[in-house]
Amino acid sequence: MQYDYQRPQVQGFSGRVLNMKIGSKIKSQVKQLAKQTNTTDYMIFLSCVMLMLGTYCRQNDIIVGSPVSGRLNSDT
């Protein structure tokens, strides 16, 4: 199974945004898991994204940046 595509000669930075809504059942399960593990909903969803990326990329280390997560001070 092929997961990737031929790379272009010139690197591009175009992308897209995908907005999704989750059902109330999954939402309540995520809330319950977050409570059990003393984490946030964001941490649960980020872990899921990282697992998915690791599976598709077949990499052990996945780095995902989050420049505004949990930063309440405007200086950060």
Side-chain angles (χ1 to χ4, degrees):
M1 179 187 279
Q2 186 174 353
Y3 291 108
D4 214 348
Y5 54 89
Q6 186 72 27
R7 299 288 186 208
Q9 293 293 324
V10 178
Q11 183 178 5
F13 297 96
S14 63
R16 60 184 151 179
V17 174
L18 175 64
N19 293 311
M20 298 175 61
K21 291 186 178 186
I22 61 169
S24 59
K25 182 178 179 181
I26 293 176
K27 183 177 178 180
S28 66
Q29 291 172 331
V30 168
K31 293 271 186 201
Q32 181 181 4
L33 179 61
K35 187 175 181 179
Q36 289 173 350
T37 57
N38 197 29
T39 59
T40 64
D41 299 358
Y42 174 79
M43 294 168 76
I44 303 293
F45 285 114
L46 180 61
S47 297
C48 292
V49 168
M50 293 177 71
L51 284 169
M52 181 199 66
L53 288 173
T55 300
Y56 282 109
C57 298
R58 291 184 255 166
Q59 299 290 318
N60 291 329
D61 296 324
I62 301 293
I63 298 172
V64 176
S66 181
V68 295
S69 174
R71 297 185 176 141
L72 303 175
N73 188 326
S74 61
D75 293 337
T76 58

